[in-house]
Amino acid sequence: MSLFGAVIALGVLALIFGVILGFAAVKFRVESDPIVDQIDEILPQTQCGQCGYPGCRPYAQAIADGDDINKCPPGGEATIKQLADLMGVEPKPLDDAHGEEDVKKVAIIREDECIGCTKCIQACPVDAILGAAKQMHTVIEHECTGCDLCVEPCPVDCIDMVAVKPKPETWQWDLDTVKENIKANSIPVKVVE
Amino acid sequence: MSDVKTVNRDFNTDIIGQFPGGVHPPERKQPASSRPIRRLPLPAELILPVRQHIGPSGKVLVEVGDRVDKGQRLTEAGLSQGLPLHAPTSGIIAAIEERPTAHASGLPEQAIVIHPDGEERWGNKHALPDYHDVEISRLLELVQEAGIAGLGGAGFPTAQKLAQQKPLKHLIINGVECEPYIAADDRLMQEYADDIIAGTRILQYITRCDSVLFAIEDNKPEAIKAIAAAIDDDTQIKLKVVPTKYPSGGEKQLIELLTGHQVPSGKLPMDIGLLMQNVGTAYAVKRAIIHGEPLLERVVTLTGEALEQRGNVWALLGTPIQHLLDESGFNPEKKQRIIMGGPMMGFTLPSTEVPVIKTTNCILAPTDHELPAPGPELACIRCGACSDVCPATLQPQQLQWLAKAKDYDELEKHHLFDCIECGACAYVCPSEIPLVHYYRKAKAEVRNIAREKAKAEQARKRFEARQERLEREKQERLERHRKAAEERKKMQQEKASRPDSKTDSGDEKPAGKSAAVAAAIARAKAKKAAQAAKDNADEDSSAKGNES
Ligand code: SF4
Ligand code: SF4
Ligand code: SF4
Ligand code: SF4
């Protein structure tokens, strides 16, 4: 009899805790990012396709499916290191079959030469080019990721990729560059120190 | 001047709080603090960087060759954070081009260059001697239009700081000036005490605050006397004399000294009902409202033993530093350093062609004997001297390790952004580690990473939006083709069924003719559909461009 009572008591307890746990599992569920999102988060979003995939998200999917982590030149070593940490693998050097790490650039259209063919608009992965058929086109500089994809299609070769110049607010307190900055300016100045 | 009152006045030196750490570097405020502010001859050119303050730059309103009056507006205030810029004297716009800025990087920035004509011809001034019946919002506008930025620290637009709509417990006027060598605020208080108090009352009126704490460090007896006399028997303004200790003039440090409250990490003084303005700013506000003069000049301390004539000058904004040095008997040494700001928080100027900006309070040209260049950096010996003096109770040595290891997450956990870059830690470090330099670098990197991250996020969104649009367009195209095909099919079916219907209805038209008409209609319809599809496609491709 007492055995029976104990079984019932334990059974009831198990039921109660089961309900509580079940409720907690629903209520306090932690939304964990699926791995693809986490990888995509790390990739630089230049959308240049140098990795061999049509954009960062597809490459993130490929990495999740087991592709190498060293195919993204815009991200460079820093991205590879972060990816290695995330995936729990050893970082390896950038695969130069896909290109080399370069300074950040933006596209600029030499506007008086543009014939308005809209080819660059079709190539731009982030819709950073503005224009209409037979009208002059221009690049929205702060939206341009520097992916280089619009340069190739332009029939009159009027798109240049230029390195982003550091501004005082983006300058990294690199005192070695100071004299260079001054020299880059054409005004003759006395360099102190 | 009522000396009796000055002497009898209760200075209320009972400072409530105390801030941790701090150092006592040699003050070296003499002789600058005892010499009257001089006026210099006009320089050959004035260089006005379009962006003198935090935030975006305004739109330039003048063109090369224009003749401008003193006080004439040169740029339109930008939308949110901008401040307009004014011609500091009359003259001709000689150029609008990139010039090196008064920034440690020396990077060039867009600047308006004026050649003064020496006439000092004023444009229109809208003086407002009695502001008491003017709307507060209008006064804020006037402060904004006068281009006034905080003259003590980071140069934040004053009107924006004043416009915060929160009830104030105290308005604090900061005349502490704790950094060695600098005596610009000191001299301003000695010579323009009445104007500063008048400006303080305007600030008080704008913020609707009836308690002002006016703080001065006790190493400025002359300034204390002058301000006490100017306050006279105004009971709303309390003079607080704070003990000399660096950096008691730091915003958060001074608040702790005066009120005993700490501004929580990541919060503004405003959040605990306090607002701080520099004495120079109070003076500029008075000039702007009562006299209608925008901010055109400021007091700059010229000091250091490489200068023969040390002292304070009224420098027009845009005056090249070289001009200030030339006018002060500059005897450069072999490896002469020129520091903008004081020895603790200033930075070595990359060139002497950069201009005076709103936040330039001091130009220091020390001899090597006076302020030796820092020696080589040695390894940290973990002596802990730096954490003892840090006014923000940080762990400078720890921050330094983390900064070198580029461990940005840990740096933020160790409150890197609470560091006020006061330099107290670097001052006491026996290993001569340029600690602040590492923090500035790390802060710049953290900010850059955040900027890049935001940009990447934006690019991701745009990429996804584009993918979606392409997908949608594809579906629409397929749909149109499907419809056109269906149409054709229907036609053909109709065509096929016509001959039967003819016999039923007894139509007289010959079968051959009716079939030919149906075929023609079908052709025209198909052509129309194709044309519509093409038009749509064209429209889409132009709409695509306009979308962004
Ligand atoms: S290579 Fe280009 S497209 Fe590929 S992940 Fe890197 S940035 Fe994105
Ligand atoms: S591809 Fe070249 S020519 Fe054509 S619209 Fe773009 S910039 Fe102009
Ligand atoms: S004062 Fe200098 S040597 Fe001493 S603990 Fe701090 S960083 Fe290290
Ligand atoms: S510079 Fe920063 S870390 Fe060093 S003492 Fe000042 S607040 Fe502390």
Side-chain angles (χ1 to χ4, degrees), chain B residues 234-272:
Chain B
D234 187 334
T235 49
Q236 296 196 335
I237 305 181
K238 288 190 203 71
L239 183 58
K240 296 269 188 177
V241 178
V242 304
T244 301
K245 177 163 102 171
Y246 181 82
S248 52
E251 190 168 55
K252 295 193 172 175
Q253 284 65 39
L254 184 55
I255 285 174
E256 217 172 325
L257 268 180
L258 294 182
T259 67
H261 295 304
Q262 266 194 6
V263 182
S265 166
K267 293 265 184 187
L268 294 173
M270 179 59 71
D271 298 322
I272 56 170

Side-chain angles (χ1 to χ4, degrees), chain B residues 215-424:
Chain B
I216 310 180
E217 216 172 35
D218 64 7
N219 61 358
K220 302 179 185 61
E222 292 303 315
I224 294 171
K225 234 190 268 171
I227 292 294
I231 294 174
D232 202 13
D233 50 8
D234 187 334
T235 49
Q236 296 196 335
I237 305 181
K238 288 190 203 71
L239 183 58
K240 296 269 188 177
V241 178
V242 304
T244 301
K245 177 163 102 171
Y246 181 82
S248 52
E251 190 168 55
K252 295 193 172 175
Q253 284 65 39
L254 184 55
I255 285 174
E256 217 172 325
L257 268 180
L258 294 182
T259 67
H261 295 304
Q262 266 194 6
V263 182
S265 166
K267 293 265 184 187
L268 294 173
M270 179 59 71
D271 298 322
I272 56 170
L274 298 170
L275 184 81
M276 191 177 292
Q277 294 290 349
N278 172 268
V279 287
T281 313
Y283 176 79
V285 166
K286 190 241 169 184
R287 298 299 304 180
I289 303 291
I290 311 272
H291 305 271
E293 292 174 10
L295 179 62
L296 305 180
E297 57 183 5
R298 64 157 298 140
V299 182
V300 178
T301 303
L302 300 175
T303 186
E305 282 170 15
L307 298 181
E308 261 160 32
Q309 281 175 280
R310 276 164 273 166
N312 288 287
V313 298
W314 279 109
L316 293 181
L317 300 179
T319 307
I321 304 304
Q322 186 64 48
H323 177 74
L324 298 180
L325 297 175
D326 290 346
E327 293 291 333
S328 313
F330 181 39
N331 298 317
E333 288 189 325
K334 231 190 286 143
K335 283 184 107 189
Q336 181 67 51
R337 283 179 305 157
I338 308 285
I339 296 166
M340 186 176 275
M344 304 291 282
M345 295 184 77
F347 56 89
T348 306
L349 279 180
S351 135
T352 52
E353 296 303 313
V354 304
V356 169
I357 56 172
K358 288 172 189 169
T359 51
T360 308
N361 50 6
C362 177
I363 300 297
L364 173 58
T367 57
D368 197 48
H369 167 74
E370 176 186 15
L371 208 67
E377 175 182 344
L378 303 174
C380 170
I381 54 170
R382 293 207 178 261
C383 64
C386 50
S387 26
D388 291 343
V389 299
C390 177
T393 50
L394 304 175
Q395 299 287 324
Q397 77 280 26
Q398 203 60 30
L399 287 174
Q400 173 241 157
W401 292 115
L402 294 170
K404 284 181 180 163
K406 298 193 185 293
D407 192 341
Y408 302 122
D409 291 340
E410 276 301 305
L411 275 172
E412 284 190 59
K413 266 186 224 144
H414 281 77
H415 305 288
L416 171 66
F417 281 88
D418 282 356
C419 166
I420 58 167
E421 300 177 22
C422 67

Side-chain angles (χ1 to χ4, degrees), chain A residues 43-56 59 71-75:
Chain A
L43 294 174
Q45 307 298 324
T46 308
Q47 315 292 1
C48 63
Q50 286 181 75
C51 51
Y53 295 93
C56 301
Y59 181 42
K71 295 186 175 179
C72 171

Side-chain angles (χ1 to χ4, degrees), chain A residues 46 54 89 145:
Chain A
T46 308
V89 295
T145 63

Side-chain angles (χ1 to χ4, degrees), chain B residues 45-48 50 60 62-66 92-99 110-115:
Chain B
E45 63 173 19
L46 294 168
I47 306 157
L48 300 156
V50 175
V60 178
V62 288
E63 277 172 34
V64 176
D66 283 2
I92 290 177
I93 308 288
I96 300 176
E97 61 187 17
E98 300 222 312
R99 289 293 184 97
Q110 194 73 1
I112 301 175
V113 181
I114 299 182
H115 285 175

